[in-house]
Amino acid sequence: MNKTTAVILTGILLCLAQPTRAGQDELRMGENHPFISKGDISLALQGSYFDISGSNASVLLLLQNLNASGSYFGISPYFIYSYRDNRSIGLRLKYSTASGSLGALDLDLPGSGMELSASDCGANSVSFNAELFHRSYWGLDERGRFGLFLDLALQYRSSLTGLKFSGDSSEGTAHTRSLGAKILARPGLEIFVMNNVSSIFSIGIGGLSYSISKNLKDGQVCGSKISSGARIMPDLTDISMGIAIHF
């Protein structure tokens, strides 16, 4: 083999071993297949519900004779528009209610001689949310049937919570009215079950929040609180499933 042939073969091997620019971009970006096309408009409806109850339960030998129950229901319609492939913006509204009751509870701290009990307490809450969000999709297959997404949302929240309590020495009702704003993240999964119909599952994982709360008793303000913070963890009240129609 002469020198000219060796140089040519070496050049060919180097070209084959070196990925093309397109190949480099694909390695850098990953396999993000087209999932939602530019101009896609969809109307969706998601809902969530859970119910818990306990009777004569105990927790860590501290809470005895626990009789409690609670439920949560939420429904959220939203509109979304795709301004480019796999990128969308949307507007979501959400209405939710939550209620809980405590029939009986005994608290016993071993070695301290402290014993507390409560009974006939209840709470209920009604809230309304409005949010503007940006959604990024990640297609999982070439046919565009399965995709992951991530919502980054700016949310406004208004809620009213009522508490009813009774005991040996006092009983009554109190209310808390809260207004707040939140920046949150919500990942999810979307599957096209038909060409223009998809099913959706999502879960909120928290974010940055700011709220102003006022405590009311007999219609009069008896206290207020301003709170802010950051929390990154699954939100049980923001786990929902639903369906979307695409146009």
Side-chain angles (χ1 to χ4, degrees), residues 3-245:
K3 293 184 178 180
T4 303
T5 304
V7 170
I8 293 175
L9 290 177
T10 302
I12 293 175
L13 291 176
L14 290 174
C15 290
L16 292 176
Q18 182 69 22
T20 63
R21 182 177 182 84
Q24 290 175 342
D25 291 340
E26 184 176 357
L27 290 174
R28 183 166 56 249
M29 298 299 294
E31 292 290 337
N32 187 6
H33 299 286
F35 186 73
I36 295 294
S37 301
K38 178 181 178 180
D40 182 271
I41 297 175
S42 61
L43 299 176
L45 182 66
Q46 288 185 257
S48 57
Y49 173 81
F50 65 82
D51 182 86
I52 57 175
S53 63
S55 178
N56 294 323
S58 61
V59 179
L60 299 177
L61 301 178
L62 299 178
L63 304 180
Q64 303 292 331
N65 302 320
L66 175 61
N67 292 301
S69 63
S71 63
Y72 174 86
F73 170 76
I75 186 170
S76 60
Y78 66 86
F79 164 85
I80 189 167
Y81 170 75
S82 179
Y83 64 91
R84 57 175 289 189
D85 292 350
N86 287 354
R87 296 292 185 272
S88 304
I89 56 174
L91 176 65
R92 180 195 306 268
L93 303 176
K94 182 177 181 180
Y95 171 82
S96 62
T97 62
S99 62
S101 63
L102 178 64
L105 171 65
D106 295 329
L107 173 62
D108 183 9
L109 297 178
S112 66
M114 181 182 296
E115 296 183 2
L116 298 174
S117 63
S119 62
D120 299 328
C121 298
N124 60 80
S125 176
V126 177
S127 65
F128 174 79
N129 299 354
E131 66 179 46
L132 182 67
F133 64 93
H134 179 273
R135 175 172 293 183
S136 301
Y137 291 96
W138 189 272
L140 299 180
D141 67 316
E142 295 181 353
R143 298 180 59 189
R145 292 293 183 181
F146 300 87
L148 300 175
F149 63 82
L150 175 65
D151 290 349
L152 296 178
L154 175 61
Q155 181 186 92
Y156 166 81
R157 177 183 176 91
S158 174
S159 65
L160 178 64
T161 302
L163 174 65
K164 178 182 178 181
F165 57 91
S166 63
D168 297 334
S169 59
S170 64
E171 63 177 279
T173 59
H175 294 85
T176 299
R177 184 180 299 277
S178 299
L179 298 175
K182 191 174 185 179
I183 299 176
L184 60 91
R186 183 184 297 113
L189 170 67
E190 186 166 354
I191 302 173
F192 274 90
V193 294
M194 298 176 61
N195 289 336
N196 63 334
V197 179
S198 62
S199 60
I200 307 168
F201 172 81
S202 65
I203 176 172
I205 57 173
L208 304 175
S209 63
Y210 176 86
S211 65
I212 302 175
S213 303
K214 293 183 178 181
N215 299 322
L216 308 173
K217 188 173 183 179
D218 299 326
Q220 301 295 322
V221 177
C222 59
S224 62
K225 180 180 70 173
I226 298 177
S227 61
S228 61
R231 187 182 71 168
I232 305 297
M233 61 181 301
D235 185 354
L236 293 180
T237 63
D238 199 11
I239 300 176
S240 58
M241 300 180 64
I243 190 169
I245 300 176

